Amino acid sequence: MQIIKKIFVFPRIIYFLIPIIIISLVFTSFPSNGIEISSIKFIGEATLPKGLIFQKTEVGGLSGITYNARNNLYYAISDDRGQKAPVRLYTLKIDLSKGLLEKDGVIPVSVTRLLNENGQIFGPGETDTEGIALTNKGIVLISSEGDAKLINPFIKEFSLSSGREIFTLPIPNKFLPDKTNQKGIRNNLAFESLTITPDNNHLFTATENALIQDGVAAKPNIGTPCRILQYNLLNNQPEKEFLYQTEPVTPFLNLIGKFASGLPDLLALDNQGHFLSLERSFTGLGFAISLFQVSLEGADDIHNIDSLLAVDSKNIKPVKKKLLLDLRKLDVLLDNIEGLTFGPKLQDGQQSLILISDNNFNSLQRTQILAFKIKIETPLIRLLRRLFPNINL
């Protein structure tokens, strides 16, 4: 009788495993089921000294950051327009070995001067470099907002070893300003964001605010319609665009009357159109910074629409957004946060996330680095949690 019982134990195990295997196969075959961030926890802050001089350059204006997992280093782009020093990026070391970021846990390692296609430094005012993303080929793509009155925005590839320009991606005509000031990017509100999907097949950028022909720039209590621009990196061509609506922000004690709000960065979570987005506002009394999870699923491709004002934009489905964190809830004095990137996996297996601020080379501001750890769940893990709530996954 004991032998018979043992014989029937094995099939029961199979009956338990079969549904899990089927669920796994089904969910991995549907790319639209994206990952989700189930938790986010603040793990520290660091600041660089004000007026820090490193290798004969003033460290500042760090408006974009990307991570190199191979050497555990970060590359941060400065938005200095070649006026304080040649256009450049910095290599940084950020120490998360203890599972947190200590106040002195960030140090610059090197400076890379960016050179044009002729191997010359860019002239003052020729660029406004804002976004940066690292490819699996060891090169970086960098976006420049340009100048709406003088210089077109660009997205270029640069060699990390030499800093020299390799290739320029084409920019769709609707983004380029004209002399009549009737279309194109708004000044200082163009391509701040830049991110590459994990498979390195697609690059995404976005306007910080609406194109002139798409709607109004952000105002107090009024959001702005931004465009996310998708490139196919297999042929280096733009292929899709999506509507991203920023949140309206209410100023608090805005005695000086200044207000700015927009979309300064994106970070690809997977290859299926899921991102983290960073929205940043200056409200008159400090900064409002928010992190969202974004999905392109179901959003309309608007690359054939040259002007949102010329169509009924109410019928356009924008990208989906979900608020992850309002950083004003942290016990931290926020600065002008503009860049974000993943860092290494932490000792507990969770993913680190780094945010960095642009101090505008202003003595009243700081180069601030914030660290978080986030828990990322796949559709399969989420389903298993619902089916087996007592299982520790």
Side-chain angles (χ1 to χ4, degrees), residues 97-377:
S97 60
K98 297 179 182 178
L100 53 85
L101 177 60
E102 298 179 327
K103 62 181 181 180
D104 57 352
V106 180
I107 59 171
V109 175
S110 64
V111 180
T112 302
R113 294 183 177 183
L114 300 183
L115 307 176
N116 63 22
E117 59 185 351
N118 298 318
Q120 304 296 317
I121 63 172
F122 289 93
E126 286 186 4
T127 69
D128 183 11
T129 47
E130 297 281 357
I132 185 169
L134 177 70
T135 75
N136 59 2
K137 298 178 182 178
I139 61 176
V140 288
L141 286 113
I142 293 173
S143 62
S144 170
E145 288 191 302
D147 186 315
K149 297 180 180 179
L150 301 172
I151 302 170
N152 288 335
F154 69 65
I155 301 172
K156 295 178 182 288
E157 292 181 348
F158 291 89
S159 165
L160 268 176
S161 58
S162 67
R164 186 165 180 166
E165 176 185 331
I166 301 171
F167 184 78
T168 300
L169 274 66
I171 305 295
N173 185 63
K174 67 172 72 71
F175 293 89
L176 303 179
D178 64 8
K179 295 180 180 180
T180 66
N181 200 34
Q182 298 298 309
K183 78 171 190 70
I185 58 161
R186 286 182 159 89
N187 199 45
N188 205 35
L189 295 173
F191 298 144
E192 286 235 5
S193 55
L194 210 60
T195 187
I196 297 174
T197 53
D199 62 9
N200 271 250
N201 287 342
H202 292 93
L203 174 139
F204 291 84
T205 186
T207 57
E208 188 180 0
N209 265 224
L211 298 177
I212 292 173
Q213 70 270 26
D214 281 347
V216 299
K219 299 179 180 180
N221 303 306
I222 298 175
T224 185
C226 305
R227 284 190 189 236
I228 294 177
L229 175 56
Q230 173 182 323
Y231 281 85
N232 185 333
L233 291 182
L234 300 180
N235 59 18
N236 289 325
Q237 294 298 312
E239 57 182 7
K240 294 181 180 180
E241 295 169 23
F242 304 92
L243 173 61
Y244 180 107
Q245 184 72 41
T246 68
E247 298 301 303
V249 177
T250 302
F252 179 68
L253 292 179
N254 193 352
L255 302 178
I256 60 175
K258 292 185 178 180
F259 179 85
S261 185
L263 173 64
D265 214 354
L266 292 168
L267 178 61
L269 294 172
D270 58 19
N271 303 318
Q272 284 79 45
H274 298 88
F275 305 86
L276 284 180
S277 71
L278 178 68
E279 294 190 25
R280 178 275 326 271
S281 302
F282 177 70
T283 65
L285 186 65
F287 294 90
I289 313 291
S290 294
L291 281 171
F292 294 85
Q293 181 162 335
V294 176
S295 173
L296 301 184
E297 185 177 355
D300 290 330
D301 178 7
I302 59 173
H303 81 277
N304 286 323
I305 301 175
D306 289 336
S307 170
L308 295 179
L309 292 177
V311 300
D312 187 357
S313 60
K314 293 180 181 179
N315 294 326
I316 297 175
K317 294 180 181 178
V319 302
K320 299 175 184 176
K321 295 168 54 183
K322 181 178 74 172
L323 179 65
L324 290 176
L325 179 65
D326 182 343
L327 273 66
R328 289 176 295 185
K329 295 182 179 179
L330 302 177
D331 187 21
V332 174
L333 179 62
L334 297 173
D335 213 288
N336 183 32
I337 300 292
E338 289 194 358
L340 77 162
T341 187
F342 285 134
K345 290 288 184 67
L346 301 173
Q347 292 178 348
D348 61 4
Q350 295 192 36
Q351 177 65 57
S352 63
L353 179 71
I354 297 294
L355 276 63
I356 196 166
S357 74
D358 174 1
N359 69 350
N360 293 309
F361 295 97
N362 186 328
S363 61
L364 298 178
Q365 293 183 248
R366 302 163 295 152
T367 297
Q368 178 184 49
I369 299 92
L370 303 178
F372 299 83
K373 68 176 180 179
I374 59 178
K375 193 168 188 178
I376 299 177
E377 292 187 345

